[in-house]
Amino acid sequence: MTKESIIDFYKEVDTETLIVEAAKVCQKVHGNGVWLRGLIEFSNYCAQDCLYCGIRRSNNKVTRYRLNEKEILETVKSGYQQGLRSFVLQSGEDPCFQASVLAGIVEKIRNGFPNAAIVLSCGVKTEEEYRLLKKAGADRYLLRFETSDPALHAKLRGGIPLERRLKALSDLKEADYQVGSGYMVGLPGETEKIRIQNALLCAKLELDMAGIGPFIPNPDTPLNEAKQEDIILTIRATALLRLLMPKTHIPATTAAGSLDKFGREKMILAGANVLMPNITPIAYRKHYLLYPGKICIEESGEQCLGCLALRMKSIGREIQSGRGDALAL
Ligand code: SAM
Ligand code: SF4
Ligand code: FES
C-alpha cells in the first residue's frame, strides 16, 4: 500500500478494523516477541522550559537529582543481571552532563557490557557532541520531534523551532546512530490533520524507532488546564505508524500505561513491539514526574520485569531477550 492509500484507509475505517490490519503487519514482521529496553532516568535537571513537561526549568516544585557515574554503572549492572541487553540513559538537557562527561560514562558501559546496546535520550546536542558519544560506544539516540506542526512546536518549546530538532535528527543519522523520534498525542492545539502529519513525518524520517505516547497535562506546568484526550487517539496513532513503518521498533510507552491501566497492552495489540521498564533506582523515580499518575514509581526493576512478562503473556506475547537492534529498512 502507498502512504496515501494507508492514510485513506486510516481515515475511512473504524478503530477495530485499523487495529486488526496493523496487528497483522506487526505479526508478520515482528512475530509474538516483544523487546525490552531498561530506562535509566539519570538526571532531572533541565535547561529547557517545554510547556508540557513536569521537569521543565521553571518548575520549582521539583526536587532535582543527578545519579553519579557509579550509580549509573550499578544500575546498568543490575539490569544486565536481570537479563536486559538494551539500556536507555535519559535526562533533561543538563549542563553538568556535557558530552565529554557523558562519553566517559558511555565508554565504561561499553567496556563493561560489550554485548549491551547503549541508547541515549538527552536532548539536542551539536553534531560534534553526537559524534563523540557515538565514538565512545553509544548505539542509538532517541529524540522526539514532539509535534510536526512548526507553529505549535515553537509555541510549546519556548520559541525553539522544529527545524532545530530536525537538524539534530539528521546529525544523528549522519553520525550513524540508530535513530528514534516521535511525538506526543493530544497536545493542546493539535488537530487530526497534525496527527496524520506527525505519523507521516516519522515515515519520512525513516526512523529505526518511533516513540509516541499520550500527552498528560501536568498541574505544575502552564498546560495545567489542558484537556486530557482519550487513549484511543494514541492507539489509532500506533496502528497508523505500524502500517506506515512495518519494520520500525515502536514502544508501548509508560505514558499510555499511566493514562489507561491496559494502555501498554492496547498499544502492543495495535502494532507496538517494545517495552521500556523503568530501572532507575527507586529513591529517584518520584522526582522524574513528567506528568501526574506515572506508573512504576514504587516498584523495583525486578518487579516491573515480572509484571511485564505476565502482562505480555496475558495477550499472547512473549518477552524476548537480546539487544533488539534496528531492522534494515
Ligand atoms: N530532555 C529530553 C528530550 O526532551 O528529548 C529527554 C527527556 S524528555 C522528559 C522525554 C519525553 O517526555 C519528551 O520527548 C516528551 O515527549 C515526553 N513528555 C514530557 N512531558 C510530557 C507530558 N506531560 N505527557 C506525556 N509525555 C511527556
Ligand atoms: Fe527538558 Fe526534555 Fe522536559 Fe523539554 S521535554 S523540559 S527538554 S526534559
Ligand atoms: Fe512496573 Fe507493572 S510494569 S509495575
Side-chain angles (χ1 to χ4, degrees), residues 38-40 67-89 105-106 108-118 279-281 301-302 305:
L39 177 66
I40 306 172
L67 267 66
N68 61 34
E69 181 179 290
K70 189 165 168 259
E71 287 173 304
I72 295 174
L73 291 168
E74 272 170 7
T75 307
V76 171
K77 185 176 173 193
S78 153
Y80 191 91
Q81 284 167 344
Q82 288 163 49
L84 294 173
R85 293 295 179 268
S86 178
F87 297 93
V88 182
L89 269 59
I105 297 171
V106 168
K108 290 208 170 94
I109 301 175
R110 179 75 298 140
N111 293 334
F113 309 91
N115 61 345
I118 304 173
I279 59 168
T280 310
E302 212 162 2
L305 288 177

Side-chain angles (χ1 to χ4, degrees), residues 22-224:
K24 270 191 217 160
V25 171
C26 190
Q27 184 69 32
K28 197 168 160 203
V29 180
H30 302 278
N32 277 333
V34 175
W35 297 108
L36 293 179
R37 314 343 188 160
L39 177 66
I40 306 172
E41 298 158 337
F42 69 91
S43 163
N44 69 353
Y45 280 86
C46 190
Q48 301 298 345
D49 223 10
C50 309
L51 297 191
Y52 41 79
C53 178
I55 60 171
R56 63 198 295 269
R57 183 183 69 217
S58 298
N59 186 2
N60 53 24
K61 287 195 186 163
V62 176
T63 303
R64 304 284 169 177
Y65 73 87
R66 291 186 179 99
L67 267 66
N68 61 34
E69 181 179 290
K70 189 165 168 259
E71 287 173 304
I72 295 174
L73 291 168
E74 272 170 7
T75 307
V76 171
K77 185 176 173 193
S78 153
Y80 191 91
Q81 284 167 344
Q82 288 163 49
L84 294 173
R85 293 295 179 268
S86 178
F87 297 93
V88 182
L89 269 59
Q90 191 182 81
S91 68
E93 294 197 1
D94 181 351
C96 277
F97 278 105
Q98 284 188 357
S100 52
V101 177
L102 209 47
I105 297 171
V106 168
E107 211 170 299
K108 290 208 170 94
I109 301 175
R110 179 75 298 140
N111 293 334
F113 309 91
N115 61 345
I118 304 173
V119 192
L120 298 175
S121 174
C122 314
V124 171
K125 297 188 179 293
T126 66
E127 196 178 343
E128 293 69 40
E129 289 171 328
Y130 286 146
R131 285 187 189 280
L132 178 74
L133 290 162
K134 182 76 178 53
K135 209 167 154 221
D139 301 286
R140 312 178 190 148
Y141 207 100
L142 307 179
L143 184 75
R144 288 180 175 180
F145 54 76
E146 313 295 3
T147 173
S148 62
D149 185 79
L152 186 58
H153 185 101
K155 192 172 155 193
L156 296 175
R157 304 204 58 251
I160 305 176
L162 171 65
E163 279 304 316
R164 183 63 194 93
R165 283 224 157 187
L166 297 181
K167 157 87 168 63
L169 289 168
S170 139
D171 291 345
L172 288 163
K173 204 156 237 186
E174 282 295 308
D176 215 22
Y177 281 86
Q178 294 173 36
V179 178
S181 189
Y183 52 92
M184 279 173 280
V185 182
L187 284 167
E190 180 187 283
T191 58
E192 180 65 1
K193 192 172 164 206
I194 295 177
R195 280 192 281 279
I196 292 173
Q197 288 307 325
N198 286 343
L200 285 171
L201 180 55
C202 285
K204 186 175 158 204
L205 292 169
E206 299 183 333
L207 300 173
D208 298 302
M209 299 149 301
I212 64 168
F215 161 65
I216 304 178
N218 187 318
D220 299 326
T221 65
L223 299 185
N224 56 345

Side-chain angles (χ1 to χ4, degrees), residues 307-326:
C307 172
L308 290 176
L310 285 175
R311 282 172 180 267
M312 289 305 103
K313 201 168 168 221
S314 78
I315 56 167
R317 296 294 195 280
E318 202 181 353
I319 302 283
Q320 53 193 345
S321 54
R323 286 169 49 115
D325 277 303

Side-chain angles (χ1 to χ4, degrees), residues 175-309:
D176 215 22
Y177 281 86
Q178 294 173 36
V179 178
S181 189
Y183 52 92
M184 279 173 280
V185 182
L187 284 167
E190 180 187 283
T191 58
E192 180 65 1
K193 192 172 164 206
I194 295 177
R195 280 192 281 279
I196 292 173
Q197 288 307 325
N198 286 343
L200 285 171
L201 180 55
C202 285
K204 186 175 158 204
L205 292 169
E206 299 183 333
L207 300 173
D208 298 302
M209 299 149 301
I212 64 168
F215 161 65
I216 304 178
N218 187 318
D220 299 326
T221 65
L223 299 185
N224 56 345
E225 286 182 1
K227 181 178 171 220
Q228 176 65 70
E229 295 291 352
D230 197 282
I231 189 76
I232 201 77
L233 290 184
T234 303
I235 306 305
R236 288 181 60 82
T238 308
L240 176 58
L241 277 180
R242 176 52 73 214
L243 291 173
L244 287 169
M245 314 176 78
K247 292 187 174 173
T248 295
H249 289 305
I250 302 178
T253 45
T254 302
S258 301
L259 179 57
D260 179 311
K261 223 169 151 185
F262 299 109
R264 287 170 297 180
E265 285 88 335
K266 288 177 184 173
M267 281 187 83
I268 296 275
L269 291 170
N273 70 318
V274 172
L275 286 164
M276 296 175 69
N278 193 338
I279 59 168
T280 310
I282 290 183
Y284 300 113
R285 289 204 202 166
K286 58 179 174 296
H287 303 307
Y288 203 89
L289 218 57
L290 309 177
Y291 46 79
K294 192 172 170 209
I295 51 169
C296 306
I297 298 287
E298 305 284 344
E299 293 81 2
S300 67
E302 212 162 2
Q303 278 173 309
C304 286
L305 288 177
C307 172
L308 290 176

